[in-house]
Amino acid sequence: MKKRPVLKPLLTVMIMSLCYLSAGCSARPIDTGPESDIKEDDLVVVGFSQVGSESYWRNVNTESMKSVFTRENGYRLIFEDAQQKQTNQITAIRSFIQREVDYIVLAPVVETGWDTVLSEAKEAGIPVIIVDRKVDVSDDSLFTCWVGSDFELEGKLVCMWMSKFFNLKGIDPNEIHIADIQGTLGSSAQIGRTKGFDDMASLYGWNVAAHEEGEFTKSKGKEAMSEILKKHGNVNVVYCENDSEALGAIEVLEASGRKCGSDILKGETMIVSFDGFNEDARAAVAAGKISCIGECNPMHGPRVESIIRKLEAGEKAEKYQYVTEGIFSDTDLIPTVMISGQERSVTVITERDL
Ligand code: AHR
């Protein structure tokens, strides 16, 4: 691995603070000087391969990463947008290796197919941090650690919320005709949310009408919803694997004359979704068009940065770091949801919160 002073701007500040205190002075903010004083060689170089910009969530996530890996914080970020293609990510990782970056951060589009390129990174002595979705590799020493969401738990929590809601409203499981608009096939977010859905639908005895792929985008969400309506007109609940798909599905349902809402006994179509960090989706909750959103938190920038700080300090990072997430809903009927010993609170979104 290439030699570089450890997060030097930060270290300088710490040493100067110590000297100042040991000289008997009281603590005061240290002037680190103008940004231009930070030397190129002192920066920690981070190569980040991002999935793409398929969803609102992804854009917030990209901003979160860019906002922490700044020159002022002691970093040089090389950002590569893979446009949802694993081959682009593999090319990006190889270019990071050639450029001898200090860390590789990978938000993988799908789980499999990473063994070779991650072995190359390991060979080059570059630590790899996986963020958001996971990688499925034969040897887990190919990456240093992972931080992200428990997607299966998210799926189960949303299904548990629905089941509680149906019970409260006296809706028999037999009356539920539910379709799943899936995310990018093979991604952890899709694998986990689909599994959570399938397991819970079979546990509760709901009629699963269809699984259609929506690739986590609004346009594919629309196409998937149109297909579902063509083939399964009796669908009264749509489980969308992210907010972008949900907003697309709502457009199609409304254009077909349907009303989106929780009152399925009166002919409304219930929409549930994941993410919760987009204004339009939150407005759709406040308007009662999306009944429930399983939170998927995109603010991974500070989490990844604190991992790198630990590694720079010679400490070990926990291998798997799960983010705790809640639920958003249009109703206060269900204040909490609990599954596998994990209790999550339900935050109500109203017009006032927008
Ligand atoms: O991997 C996280 C998922 O990817 C988010 O739910 C989705 O919106 C994004 O595209």
Side-chain angles (χ1 to χ4, degrees), residues 51 53-59 84 108-109 131-134 149 151 154 184 187-190 193 215-217 241-245 274-276 294-298 300:
V51 169
S53 53
E54 74 285 1
S55 62
Y56 306 110
W57 186 98
R58 188 65 55 193
N59 300 336
Q84 294 250 69
V109 61
V131 62
D132 169 29
R133 304 172 184 175
K134 286 182 176 162
S149 306
F151 299 111
E154 284 177 358
T184 305
S187 68
S188 305
Q190 176 273 316
R193 289 173 190 161
E215 288 179 12
F216 289 128
T217 66
E241 294 191 7
N242 82 346
D243 286 340
S244 305
E245 294 176 345
F274 296 89
D275 291 350
E295 179 188 353
C296 182
N297 191 299
H300 293 318

Side-chain angles (χ1 to χ4, degrees), residues 158-159 161-162 166 176-182 197 206-207 209-212 221-222 224-226 228-229 232-242 245-250 252-253 258-261 264 268-274 289-293:
V158 166
C159 289
W161 181 92
M162 283 193 279
F166 299 147
I176 304 301
H177 298 274
I178 188 163
D180 174 14
I181 300 185
Q182 296 175 291
F197 169 78
W206 299 336
N207 301 296
H211 292 90
E212 280 288 336
K222 280 170 113 168
M225 192 66 245
S226 303
I228 291 165
L229 279 186
H232 312 278
N234 63 345
V235 158
N236 51 10
V237 184
V238 187
Y239 174 95
C240 302
E241 294 191 7
N242 82 346
E245 294 176 345
L247 292 169
I250 291 170
V252 170
L253 286 161
R258 294 219 193 186
K259 189 163 185 251
C260 297
I264 59 177
E268 293 184 353
T269 307
M270 177 186 273
I271 306 287
V272 298
S273 173
F274 296 89
K289 294 182 182 188
I290 297 180
S291 303
C292 169
I293 297 180

